[in-house]
Amino acid sequence: RSLAVKKRNILQKTDENHLLLNRMQMSLHALQQCQRQKSDLENQEKMLEGAVFGLYAAKAHYTRTHVLLLEEGTLLETQRSGADGKAEFDSDLPLGSYKVCEISAPDGYIKSAQEIEVDAVWKEDGQKVQQFSLVFANQITKTRIQKKAEDTQEPLEGAKLAVYQNNTCIESWISEKEPHMIEGLHVGESYTLRELEPAAGYVTAEDKTFTVEIKEENGEYIPQDIEMTDAPTQIGIAVYEKDGDRKVPLEKVKAHLETAEGEVLSQTNN
């Protein structure tokens, strides 16, 4: 997410302690920053709504007579990006150092850990406008879902799966050898992985509920892995000899299963 920040400093007054005040006006533009993959190119500059930013005092602020005005880390103002990805700060503050942080990310994104300092110290007599360009990089959440066969632990193709939240279907697909990736699920919220139709020769699995978490490896975000397995269908066949009203199990009978068209479905038993 890119943040273009403009700050207008307007000399307004001097207090009894010779403290200069200014009006800081910041214009923040929140953008989606996608990985350089073909599927993401169309979203490289997507505006993001719902990012909440905070303006903080980066250092303690004092008057010239050493009266404390602002403690370090004081939250001065919060703003939320709109549909155009833009948020603005407009505060009357002492000249000094401030910082902008992301308090919460838009739904489906991971909050940035960046803290960008803004130097709001007056530098030139008569200067009324200072411009800054800040960049916040945000990662969209990624959930990687793999369907496997319980007996072989190999990827299982052909199962129809879906992810639900409450009664709303978020996304559905047919399983393949490669895991299916879902982007933009909300951090900290719970979802249900449901098998709508099993792969041929396998039993429908039970629903699996999971919560979206942030996972890192060597300081880098990695997709969350969710796995669902299907057990193979089982058919028990018993062969009997009829002896009057009795049925006597027979041993050492050789048999196999086949379709009506003659396709063998299982090897000869032992």
Side-chain angles (χ1 to χ4, degrees):
R1 187 165 70 257
S2 250
L3 287 158
V5 179
K6 296 180 180 179
K7 178 182 59 112
R8 288 199 179 103
N9 288 340
I10 304 174
L11 183 60
Q12 292 187 323
K13 62 181 179 179
T14 303
D15 68 7
E16 64 276 10
N17 293 309
H18 307 289
L19 169 68
L20 297 180
L21 300 181
N22 62 22
R23 178 173 295 278
M24 294 181 61
Q25 187 174 49
M26 295 187 183
S27 179
L28 294 83
H29 301 275
L31 304 173
Q32 177 181 351
Q33 185 177 52
C34 297
Q35 294 180 350
R36 297 182 180 275
Q37 298 177 357
K38 293 180 180 178
S39 60
D40 294 333
L41 290 178
E42 63 185 14
N43 293 326
Q44 252 183 328
E45 295 184 355
K46 178 182 177 182
M47 296 293 180
L48 295 179
E49 181 179 6
V52 178
F53 299 99
L55 177 63
Y56 298 82
K59 300 176 182 178
H61 292 68
Y62 296 88
T63 68
R64 292 183 181 180
T65 56
H66 304 290
V67 176
L68 179 64
L69 292 172
L70 293 174
E71 292 185 0
E72 181 179 349
T74 301
L75 175 61
L76 303 167
E77 186 179 352
T78 60
Q79 291 293 339
R80 182 180 184 274
S81 61
D84 60 353
K86 186 176 180 181
E88 291 187 353
F89 292 122
D90 192 0
S91 299
D92 288 321
L93 298 169
L95 296 173
S97 297
Y98 299 89
K99 63 182 179 182
V100 178
C101 306
E102 184 179 57
I103 296 174
S104 63
D107 289 339
Y109 289 83
I110 298 169
K111 184 173 75 72
S112 172
Q114 288 178 283
E115 296 183 356
I116 300 181
E117 190 163 330
V118 177
D119 181 6
V121 176
W122 202 262
K123 293 186 176 180
E124 296 180 14
D125 290 340
Q127 184 181 11
K128 294 183 178 181
V129 178
Q130 295 184 45
Q131 293 185 341
F132 298 86
S133 181
L134 308 183
V135 177
F136 280 72
N138 276 69
Q139 172 69 56
I140 194 168
T141 64
K142 295 186 177 184
T143 305
R144 191 165 47 200
I145 299 176
Q146 178 73 75
K147 187 67 172 176
K148 288 186 177 182
E150 188 177 285
D151 52 344
T152 65
Q153 289 300 305
E154 293 295 324
L156 187 58
E157 299 179 80
K160 186 175 182 180
L161 305 174
V163 167
Y164 284 81
Q165 189 172 48
N166 300 322
N167 294 320
T168 301
C169 180
I170 305 299
E171 190 169 330
S172 64
W173 68 97
I174 303 298
S175 66
E176 300 178 350
K177 286 186 178 180
E178 295 300 319
H180 180 76
M181 189 79 77
I182 299 180
E183 295 186 346
L185 298 183
H186 300 177
V187 176
E189 295 188 12
S190 295
Y191 296 84
T192 299
L193 174 60
R194 182 169 299 160
E195 186 167 44
L196 304 179
E197 295 179 13
Y202 288 83
V203 180
T204 302
E206 294 183 358
D207 288 356
K208 186 169 188 175
T209 300
F210 64 93
T211 300
V212 178
E213 301 174 348
I214 299 174
K215 293 183 176 292
E216 292 186 349
E217 189 173 284
N218 298 323
E220 296 290 331
Y221 170 76
I222 59 173
Q224 182 177 359
D225 287 311
I226 305 297
E227 184 178 295
M228 175 180 273
T229 59
D230 278 0
T233 55
Q234 295 182 348
I235 300 175
I237 299 176
V239 182
Y240 297 92
E241 176 185 23
K242 191 172 183 181
D243 183 9
D245 294 333
R246 297 187 309 148
K247 290 193 297 184
V248 180
L250 295 179
E251 296 180 289
K252 300 181 181 180
V253 176
K254 297 295 183 182
H256 67 260
L257 292 177
E258 63 181 44
T259 65
E261 291 75 25
E263 179 185 359
V264 177
L265 299 178
S266 69
Q267 299 298 318
T268 301
N269 70 303
N270 56 7

